[in-house]
Amino acid sequence: MESNPVIKNILSRKSIRKYTDMPVSEDQIRILLRAAMAAPSAVNLQSWAFIVVTDRLLLNTLSMKLPYAKMVASAPVAIVVCGDLSKATYGGDYWVQDCSAATQNILLAAEALGLGAVWTSTYPEEDRIITVKQILSLPEYIYPLNVIPIGYPNQELTPKDKFDEENIHYNMW
Amino acid sequence: MESNPVIKNILSRKSIRKYTDMPVSEDQIRILLRAAMAAPSAVNLQSWAFIVVTDRLLLNTLSMKLPYAKMVASAPVAIVVCGDLSKATYGGDYWVQDCSAATQNILLAAEALGLGAVWTSTYPEEDRIITVKQILSLPEYIYPLNVIPIGYPNQELTPKDKFDEENIHYNMW
C-alpha cells in the first residue's frame, strides 16, 4: 500500500523554504486552488477565500513584515488562505478547520506537481493577522489563516518520519 | 495535470456515510495513521493523538450519544483525532490546525485505499467534547477534534465540484 502514489505523496511532502527563479504557471496555480476547494467544510459552508500574490512588491512587503516568513521574498507566488467569516454561519470556529484542510490539499497538490511550499501561520496571532490584512487590503470579515510561498524547490530535503507509536491508542486511552 | 493520480484523488474524495460489513485491516489503519502523522505541525510539535475505535459497544455508544454521527454505528472502525494539549506549548490554538491537516491526510489516504470516510466534528462544541472524552476515558489534556468513521463504501457518490472563481482574489482584495 505504501507504493500507492497518493500515499507516497502524503509521506514525501516536505516544507520547502528555498525556491528557484522558475515561474509557477497560471494553470498550476489553478490546480492548487481547485485542490484547495475540494476540501470538506463544516456543513459544506466553504467559508474560505484565497489570495494569489504574485506582485513582487507585495511578496517583499509580506516577507519584511512577517519575520518568520522571510522566504516569501524568494518565492514566485504565495497563496494566502483566508476564512470568510461572512459565510461561517455555523458556530464560530469551524472555518479554521475547513481552511486547514484546504491548506493541506494545496501542500499535497504542490508536492504532486513537483513544486515546493511551506505553511507559515498567521492565525491566531493578532499582530500577524493585522499585518496581512493591511498589506492585502482584506475586508474586516476576511481572516488570513496562513501565507503559503510556492515555487520550484531549490533545496533537497528528506521527508521527516514522524510516525510515533505512542500517539496511538486503541478503543480507550 | 488533472490526470495526476494525487490531484485526481484530492478531487474525487467524498464524504462517505454508509459502509459495508467488510472489515478494515490493521495494515490499512496503520497506513492511515502514518499518513496522519506526516502532516505538518506548528514548529513541528506534533501535538496530536489518535484513538482507533473498533470495539462495537464503543462505536455504538459514540453513535448514540452524538446524534450528528449516527453512521459511526455502521462503520467497522473510527479514528478519533485529538489534540494533545500537553505538547501544544507554542501558542494555544495551533493544535486545531495541525490536527485538521492530519485529518485531511486520513481522508485522502482512505480514498486512495478504496475506503470511505467522513469528518464528523467534535471541537469546538463543548457538549460533544465532554461526551467523547467520557466515552473514551480521555485525560483532561486530550481534546477530541473529530470522529472519523471508516469502512468500505456502501453508497455511490459523485464528488462535489466546489470550485468557485469568486473565492479567488489576485494580489489585493
Side-chain angles (χ1 to χ4, degrees), chain A residues 1-2 4-7 9-11 13 27-28 30-31 33-35 37-40 44 46 48-55 58 87 90 93-94 96-97 100-101 104-105 107-109 112-113 119 121 123-125 128 135-139 141-142 145 160-165 167-173, chain B residues 1-2 4-7 9-11 13 27-28 30-31 33-35 37-40 44 46 48-55 58 87 90 93-94 96-97 100-101 104-105 107-109 112-113 119 121 123-125 128 135-139 141-142 145 160-165 167-173:
Chain A
M1 285 181 288
E2 286 180 2
N4 178 296
V6 172
I7 306 295
N9 188 73
I10 288 173
L11 299 180
R13 184 210 52 82
D27 281 357
Q28 286 173 315
R30 232 176 153 71
I31 292 279
L33 296 171
R34 195 170 280 283
M37 292 185 227
N44 197 25
Q46 304 165 37
W48 45 47
F50 305 91
I51 325 291
V52 177
V53 186
T54 51
D55 182 272
L58 286 175
K87 295 182 185 170
Y90 178 71
D93 271 350
Y94 284 106
V96 175
Q97 300 177 46
S100 296
Q104 185 61 10
N105 276 4
L107 299 179
L108 293 170
L113 299 182
W119 180 332
S121 286
Y123 184 89
E125 312 295 337
R128 299 182 188 182
I135 295 171
L136 301 178
S137 304
L138 303 181
Y141 57 92
I142 297 293
L145 183 75
K160 294 189 182 109
D161 181 4
K162 297 178 288 184
F163 183 79
D164 184 350
E165 201 71 52
N167 291 331
I168 309 174
H169 297 256
Y170 291 93
N171 289 310
M172 292 248 192
W173 189 260
Chain B
M1 285 181 287
E2 287 180 1
N4 178 297
V6 172
I7 306 295
N9 188 72
I10 288 173
L11 299 180
R13 184 210 52 84
D27 281 356
Q28 287 173 315
R30 231 174 153 71
I31 292 279
L33 296 172
R34 195 168 280 283
M37 292 183 227
N44 196 26
Q46 305 166 37
W48 45 47
F50 305 91
I51 325 290
V52 178
V53 185
T54 51
D55 182 272
L58 286 175
K87 295 182 187 169
Y90 178 71
D93 271 349
Y94 284 107
V96 175
Q97 300 177 46
S100 296
Q104 185 61 11
N105 275 4
L107 299 179
L108 293 170
L113 300 181
W119 180 331
S121 285
Y123 185 89
E125 312 294 339
R128 298 182 188 182
I135 296 171
L136 301 178
S137 304
L138 302 182
Y141 56 92
I142 297 293
L145 183 76
K160 294 188 184 114
D161 180 5
K162 297 178 288 185
F163 183 80
D164 184 349
E165 201 71 53
N167 291 331
I168 309 173
H169 297 255
Y170 292 92
N171 289 310
M172 290 247 194
W173 188 261

Side-chain angles (χ1 to χ4, degrees), chain A residues 34-68:
Chain A
R34 195 170 280 283
M37 292 185 227
S41 63
V43 297
N44 197 25
L45 285 176
Q46 304 165 37
S47 47
W48 45 47
F50 305 91
I51 325 291
V52 177
V53 186
T54 51
D55 182 272
R56 184 46 48 200
L57 186 60
L58 286 175
L59 290 168
N60 289 348
T61 309
L62 286 167
S63 165
M64 209 161 54
K65 301 280 189 184
L66 303 169
Y68 61 93

